[in-house]
Amino acid sequence: MKCALIIFVKKPEAGKVKTRLAVTLGNKKALEIYLQLLEHTRSIVKSVAADKFVFYVDTPGKNDLWEHNIFNKKIQHGKTLGNKMLNAFNEMFGAGYEKVSIIGSDCFELTTAIINQGFTELESCDLVIGPASDGGYYFLGMKKMHAALFASIEWSTEKVLRQTTAVCVSKQLTYRLLAELNDIDVETDWLKAMEQFPL
């Protein structure tokens, strides 16, 4: 099946990325961490068996780390995160892809194998979700558009996963959960990650 992987990112600029980290670590350190997260994400997705689309919040830089021969670059459209995700999925399904998944760039624990597993699991269910320990998710995959998954969700809260699975139940959509992983949002997340993945 024709597969697409959406990667949501921001242009790495001090003061505009990892703002919750910057509260305790400062803008410069927060930017350094974000650049490391981007590099990790780039390295693990390169060998995923899917066409790869990097969706920027705004116009991408000319000399970013995403190679033009591997990654297609797009702009996110919409006012809310839900709108932006909905539009990105619609664009990929509209382009003829039969399996579409999305990830962010906040998770040092995410691996190529987990992303591949997500695509594989879609063979036998409607949705695959990668739950994050903060109550959100780091991976969402589907085989057809389910717009209800992006409506009435309280984004950036601990309710995201619970509300998303509730939509699945109400719409009678089958889903599977991948391993729970930790996103890097605040300093304690970063310190925990560095214990597991020392640089």
Side-chain angles (χ1 to χ4, degrees), residues 46-67:
K46 285 178 73 172
S47 59
V48 171
D51 291 340
K52 302 159 190 75
F53 297 85
V54 178
F55 277 76
Y56 275 86
V57 170
D58 47 20
T59 306
K62 291 183 179 179
N63 298 310
D64 63 9
L65 58 81
W66 308 96
E67 299 98 321

Side-chain angles (χ1 to χ4, degrees), residues 2-190:
K2 194 177 178 185
C3 301
L5 178 64
I6 299 166
I7 307 150
F8 264 26
V9 303
K10 294 180 178 179
K11 190 188 298 183
E13 296 178 337
K16 295 185 178 180
V17 296
K18 289 293 156 199
T19 52
R20 290 168 64 191
L21 274 174
V23 171
T24 55
L25 295 175
N27 288 332
K28 182 179 178 181
K29 183 62 177 178
L31 176 59
E32 290 176 5
I33 292 170
Y34 187 62
L35 287 169
Q36 291 176 43
L37 285 164
L38 287 179
E39 176 55 39
H40 170 75
T41 303
R42 184 188 68 86
S43 67
I44 63 168
V45 302
K46 285 178 73 172
S47 59
V48 171
D51 291 340
K52 302 159 190 75
F53 297 85
V54 178
F55 277 76
Y56 275 86
V57 170
D58 47 20
T59 306
K62 291 183 179 179
N63 298 310
D64 63 9
L65 58 81
W66 308 96
E67 299 98 321
H68 292 278
N69 61 326
I70 299 175
F71 300 97
N72 302 282
K73 298 175 187 180
K74 302 278 188 178
I75 303 295
Q76 299 173 26
H77 295 290
K79 292 184 177 180
T80 68
L81 177 59
N83 294 150
K84 292 174 181 179
M85 293 172 68
L86 173 68
N87 290 332
F89 271 94
N90 271 330
E91 184 173 346
M92 294 297 97
F93 283 121
Y97 288 96
E98 300 163 286
K99 289 182 181 179
V100 181
S101 298
I102 189 170
I103 62 171
S105 55
D106 298 320
C107 188
F108 265 128
E109 296 180 1
L110 187 57
T111 64
T112 307
I114 292 173
I115 297 171
N116 284 334
Q117 180 190 355
F119 277 107
T120 301
E121 295 280 6
L122 277 173
E123 295 288 347
S124 53
C125 58
D126 297 315
L127 300 168
V128 174
I129 307 169
S133 57
D134 62 3
Y137 55 76
Y138 61 85
F139 179 100
L140 178 68
M142 63 184 82
K143 293 180 289 191
K144 61 183 291 188
M145 194 68 225
H146 301 290
L149 294 168
F150 306 106
S152 302
I153 303 293
E154 296 177 62
W155 301 105
S156 302
T157 73
E158 74 285 353
K159 300 177 183 179
V160 171
L161 178 65
R162 185 168 69 248
Q163 291 175 340
T164 301
T165 55
V167 171
C168 293
V169 173
S170 68
K171 299 295 183 181
Q172 297 184 314
L173 301 173
T174 58
Y175 68 92
R176 291 190 182 171
L177 298 178
L178 301 172
E180 182 177 288
L181 303 180
N182 296 297
D183 277 342
I184 307 296
D185 293 315
V186 296
E187 184 177 358
T188 52
D189 298 330
W190 173 247

